[in-house]
Amino acid sequence: MKMTRILCLLVGILLVPVLAQACIINCSIAISGSDGTNVNVGIDDVKTVFVDDEGVTHFVFNIPATTGGESEITSLVLKAKEDPEVGIEFGVRAGSSDTEYTILSGAVTFAALENAVGYASAGITLTDREAVGATITGLFDGDKVHQAKYNGTPVFASLVNGFGITGGTLTTSEAEPSTGDELISGTLTSIESAFHFILSANDSASGTSTFMVTPIPEPATLVILGLGGLLLRKTK
């Protein structure tokens, strides 16, 4: 019995990096800049993989040489989980002119969910690198910088207004809903994350996002769980 447990433990340890490196969830991010900077990264560009305390896998990408343009991409991370959950962490620096960026994750697809609730959050950090003022302008509806989408097109949440600073660094964030979860009507089969904004010349911006969905247990399941709770209390 002890030997069996040891073998199972070893197999589990070996499988974690293998599954992560195989990128069981679509592992890709595309960044395009109006100055001609374009980068597409995928499984072949993954430098490091780690799983955080909440079971979310972080795929840290090598930063490839950019194609054209003056802007720089300083960091790229895809966060994904089969529950499902998807998110992006990025860092960019604009070139000598204001630069429009589009940053898209690959869609996380999964077996159809008929009843689900969702939660999305995003944060942006803006740095004025030349102490002459810096701005980030959201290009989604309502001057929003980020969108969490599902099934390819429908928008679950548009988050974080564009803003400006004079000197220094400022971080702002937003969540939908602000507390708890929100019902997503209809059948759900995929989720994805997107940033779209204009960054002022020579300044830096970084961002992070999370979009997660959770199936709602069927009534029968709830009844069974409730009965289980009663039985547990009876046996005490």
Side-chain angles (χ1 to χ4, degrees), residues 1-16:
M1 181 63 73
K2 288 184 179 179
M3 181 62 69
T4 302
R5 287 177 179 172
I6 292 171
L7 287 173
C8 288
L9 179 59
L10 289 174
V11 170
I13 292 171
L14 291 171
L15 278 178
V16 170

Short mmCIF file of all heavy atoms in Angstrom, two decimals, residues 1-16:
data_model
loop_
_atom_site.label_atom_id
_atom_site.label_comp_id
_atom_site.label_asym_id
_atom_site.label_seq_id
_atom_site.Cartn_x
_atom_site.Cartn_y
_atom_site.Cartn_z
N MET A 1 0.84 -1.20 0.00
CA MET A 1 0.00 0.00 0.00
C MET A 1 0.87 1.25 0.00
O MET A 1 0.64 2.19 -0.73
CB MET A 1 -0.92 0.00 1.21
CG MET A 1 -1.85 1.22 1.28
SD MET A 1 -3.00 1.30 -0.11
CE MET A 1 -4.11 -0.04 0.36
N LYS A 2 1.91 1.28 0.86
CA LYS A 2 2.78 2.44 0.91
C LYS A 2 3.49 2.63 -0.42
O LYS A 2 3.65 3.75 -0.89
CB LYS A 2 3.80 2.27 2.03
CG LYS A 2 3.22 2.42 3.43
CD LYS A 2 4.29 2.34 4.47
CE LYS A 2 3.71 2.51 5.87
NZ LYS A 2 4.76 2.41 6.90
N MET A 3 3.95 1.51 -1.04
CA MET A 3 4.62 1.62 -2.33
C MET A 3 3.69 2.19 -3.38
O MET A 3 4.08 3.02 -4.20
CB MET A 3 5.13 0.24 -2.75
CG MET A 3 5.87 0.27 -4.10
SD MET A 3 7.36 1.32 -4.03
CE MET A 3 8.41 0.33 -2.96
N THR A 4 2.41 1.76 -3.38
CA THR A 4 1.44 2.27 -4.34
C THR A 4 1.25 3.77 -4.18
O THR A 4 1.21 4.51 -5.15
CB THR A 4 0.08 1.56 -4.15
OG1 THR A 4 0.27 0.17 -4.29
CG2 THR A 4 -0.94 2.06 -5.17
N ARG A 5 1.15 4.22 -2.94
CA ARG A 5 0.98 5.65 -2.69
C ARG A 5 2.18 6.44 -3.19
O ARG A 5 2.05 7.51 -3.76
CB ARG A 5 0.76 5.90 -1.20
CG ARG A 5 -0.60 5.46 -0.70
CD ARG A 5 -0.72 5.67 0.78
NE ARG A 5 -2.03 5.27 1.27
CZ ARG A 5 -2.35 5.21 2.55
NH1 ARG A 5 -1.44 5.52 3.47
NH2 ARG A 5 -3.56 4.86 2.93
N ILE A 6 3.37 5.92 -2.97
CA ILE A 6 4.59 6.60 -3.41
C ILE A 6 4.62 6.70 -4.92
O ILE A 6 4.94 7.75 -5.49
CB ILE A 6 5.84 5.87 -2.89
CG1 ILE A 6 5.93 6.01 -1.36
CG2 ILE A 6 7.11 6.43 -3.55
CD1 ILE A 6 7.00 5.14 -0.74
N LEU A 7 4.25 5.60 -5.60
CA LEU A 7 4.23 5.60 -7.07
C LEU A 7 3.23 6.61 -7.60
O LEU A 7 3.51 7.34 -8.55
CB LEU A 7 3.91 4.20 -7.59
CG LEU A 7 5.03 3.16 -7.46
CD1 LEU A 7 4.51 1.80 -7.87
CD2 LEU A 7 6.24 3.56 -8.31
N CYS A 8 2.04 6.67 -7.00
CA CYS A 8 1.01 7.62 -7.42
C CYS A 8 1.50 9.06 -7.25
O CYS A 8 1.28 9.92 -8.10
CB CYS A 8 -0.28 7.43 -6.63
SG CYS A 8 -1.17 5.92 -7.08
N LEU A 9 2.18 9.30 -6.15
CA LEU A 9 2.70 10.64 -5.88
C LEU A 9 3.73 11.03 -6.93
O LEU A 9 3.71 12.14 -7.46
CB LEU A 9 3.32 10.68 -4.49
CG LEU A 9 3.95 12.02 -4.05
CD1 LEU A 9 2.90 13.12 -4.07
CD2 LEU A 9 4.57 11.89 -2.68
N LEU A 10 4.62 10.09 -7.27
CA LEU A 10 5.64 10.37 -8.27
C LEU A 10 5.02 10.64 -9.64
O LEU A 10 5.44 11.54 -10.35
CB LEU A 10 6.62 9.19 -8.36
CG LEU A 10 7.56 9.02 -7.16
CD1 LEU A 10 8.36 7.73 -7.32
CD2 LEU A 10 8.50 10.22 -7.05
N VAL A 11 4.02 9.84 -10.00
CA VAL A 11 3.34 10.05 -11.28
C VAL A 11 2.70 11.42 -11.32
O VAL A 11 2.77 12.14 -12.32
CB VAL A 11 2.28 8.94 -11.52
CG1 VAL A 11 1.41 9.30 -12.72
CG2 VAL A 11 2.97 7.61 -11.76
N GLY A 12 2.06 11.81 -10.21
CA GLY A 12 1.42 13.13 -10.14
C GLY A 12 2.42 14.25 -10.32
O GLY A 12 2.20 15.22 -11.03
N ILE A 13 3.59 14.11 -9.67
CA ILE A 13 4.63 15.13 -9.77
C ILE A 13 5.13 15.24 -11.21
O ILE A 13 5.39 16.33 -11.72
CB ILE A 13 5.79 14.81 -8.82
CG1 ILE A 13 5.33 14.97 -7.37
CG2 ILE A 13 7.00 15.70 -9.10
CD1 ILE A 13 6.34 14.45 -6.36
N LEU A 14 5.28 14.10 -11.88
CA LEU A 14 5.78 14.11 -13.25
C LEU A 14 4.75 14.65 -14.24
O LEU A 14 5.10 15.31 -15.21
CB LEU A 14 6.17 12.68 -13.67
CG LEU A 14 7.42 12.10 -12.97
CD1 LEU A 14 7.55 10.64 -13.32
CD2 LEU A 14 8.67 12.87 -13.39
N LEU A 15 3.47 14.41 -13.99
CA LEU A 15 2.43 14.81 -14.94
C LEU A 15 2.19 16.31 -14.95
O LEU A 15 1.87 16.87 -15.98
CB LEU A 15 1.11 14.10 -14.62
CG LEU A 15 0.97 12.68 -15.14
CD1 LEU A 15 -0.36 12.10 -14.69
CD2 LEU A 15 1.08 12.62 -16.66
N VAL A 16 2.37 16.98 -13.82
CA VAL A 16 2.08 18.42 -13.76
C VAL A 16 2.86 19.21 -14.79
O VAL A 16 2.29 19.93 -15.60
CB VAL A 16 2.31 18.97 -12.33
CG1 VAL A 16 2.25 20.49 -12.35
CG2 VAL A 16 1.25 18.41 -11.39
#
